[in-house]
Amino acid sequence: MPLGSGVWEHVFAGLYRHMRAANQYQHRLTAQLARFRSAAQAMPDGVVVLDAEDRITWCNATAERVFGLDARKDAGQPILNLVRHPDFGAYVKGARYEEPLVTRMVGMDELMLSIRVVPYGQEEKLLLARDVTQAERLETMRRDFVANVSHELKTPLTVVSGFLETFAEGNVRSDEPRGRKALEMMRSQTVRMLRLIDDLLMLSALESSAAPAREQLFDVERLLAQILDEARVLSAGRHRIELRIARPAKVLGDERELASAFGNLVSNAIRYTPPDGSIVLAWGARDGDGVFSVADTGLGIAAQHLPRLTERFYRADTSRSRDTGGTGLGLAIVKHVLTRHQGRLEIQSEPGRGSRFSAVLPARRVRFAPSAQLQPEVEKLTRS
Ligand code: ADP
């Protein structure tokens, strides 16, 4: 701006002020736009701005990832040329945007997206995409769980109601051998249902809080002696069962929960080991951690089942599990209890030779009795 004199000085100064105000306004607008963009960029959802012809005006990093776009290269391109998915195309063109479109984007990490179009301005659109993969997975798990529980309860109930019908019709009486057998089967099916309900209640109690209900120091030897007694009752003399304690200790945790976890491992060993097999329960130390392990000479488990054994209702051997009154929830409970105690479950198994399940409790939860002599490793104890 030239410097004028006289009347021009006044005119130029006016122009100068005007120009400066316009500049400041433009700066403010640019800063505001940058702020809006960085807010949209920071959004966890994918955001794409489309013009009236569905061409991409702008998109954030999440949209780049979930739709496989490139904000720089793809600006000005019609989105339907780049995101080729029949449901997506129909939704964007359909102009019925009250409900979001939930669809799996094939080829993009198989993400499940909830997509929503919000029209605004002059026929422009805002395309929003939320990753609902995890929520969908949970929903599928919930559905499967309900289906499994219903199935598990329906089978014994069908047996019981079938027998009740024959009694009601007078086809059989409880004082004749056939009737007594029917009553016995009804009783065992009822016990099975009760056991399932007990396990479900236990799981739901475990899931309702992240931490053990009661933390207390308890004596492992005493607990394991009790579990050994129960194991002998359950086995009814069919197996050789031994308890070996390498190093007495006190454990800090919820005794009832840990008793249930250890008891489940032992009852599995008994149920999956044919008569005359042997079962060794052992407690000891490994690298400062406390380890309770149960080794059996039973059926063993094929390697492909091992990673899934702790899933609810997963069974490697379906018929044996049901025949022996298994609910399919035992190892899920064990895993939950150990996780709540910052511990873990280790499984080694070989079909036809046997299995070893080890519950490992972290050092900070275990107070070993002081001992002068060198103690054998817990794994060695379970080797016969
Ligand atoms: P279940 O009530 O069916 O025993 P669990 O959750 O306790 O349910 O165990 C899951 C599956 O793991 C069982 O169905 C069985 O196939 C397998 N399993 C568990 N423990 C053993 C074991 N000691 N020996 C062989 N298989 C086992």
Side-chain angles (χ1 to χ4, degrees), residues 122-135:
Q122 270 132 30
E123 293 188 45
E124 281 130 313
K125 294 185 188 108
L126 204 57
L127 181 75
L128 302 170
R130 174 165 295 178
D131 182 355
V132 291
T133 316
Q134 187 60 11

Side-chain angles (χ1 to χ4, degrees), residues 182-341:
L183 278 177
E184 177 46 35
M185 283 176 82
M186 289 202 289
R187 196 191 65 83
S188 75
Q189 294 299 330
T190 313
V191 168
R192 184 174 152 191
M193 287 187 277
L194 282 174
R195 200 174 293 143
L196 178 65
I197 304 281
D198 280 344
D199 278 0
L200 285 170
L201 287 174
M202 172 94 189
L203 260 185
S204 110
L206 291 175
E207 280 173 351
S208 62
S209 75
R214 263 172 312 186
E215 299 266 6
Q216 71 215 114
L217 259 188
F218 63 89
D219 189 63
V220 179
E221 216 172 342
R222 187 181 44 75
L223 173 66
L224 293 182
Q226 209 174 307
I227 287 179
L228 176 69
D229 286 344
E230 286 163 14
R232 292 202 164 125
V233 171
L234 192 63
S235 156
R238 284 170 297 151
H239 312 90
R240 262 171 294 121
I241 310 180
E242 272 180 72
L243 169 63
R244 300 176 187 166
I245 306 268
R247 212 168 147 186
K250 290 198 185 306
V251 162
L252 179 67
D254 187 315
E255 183 172 357
R256 279 226 312 257
E257 287 184 12
L258 287 164
S260 157
F262 293 175
N264 269 316
L265 295 181
V266 176
S267 109
N268 279 355
I270 294 168
R271 290 188 299 112
Y272 296 102
T273 303
D276 288 335
S278 86
I279 294 163
V280 179
L281 322 183
W283 166 264
R286 192 210 296 153
D287 303 329
D289 292 340
V291 183
F292 170 62
S293 70
V294 183
D296 65 52
T297 55
L299 307 178
I301 307 153
Q304 78 265 21
H305 297 300
L306 295 181
R308 299 193 56 191
L309 284 189
T310 57
E311 285 175 23
R312 300 154 173 187
F313 298 116
Y314 187 86
R315 293 168 165 114
D317 183 339
T318 315
S319 60
R320 189 168 181 101
S321 162
R322 296 230 169 83
D323 289 351
T324 58
T327 60
L329 297 173
L331 291 181
I333 291 175
V334 173
K335 186 183 168 183
H336 257 290
V337 169
L338 291 177
T339 308
R340 285 153 70 82
H341 288 81

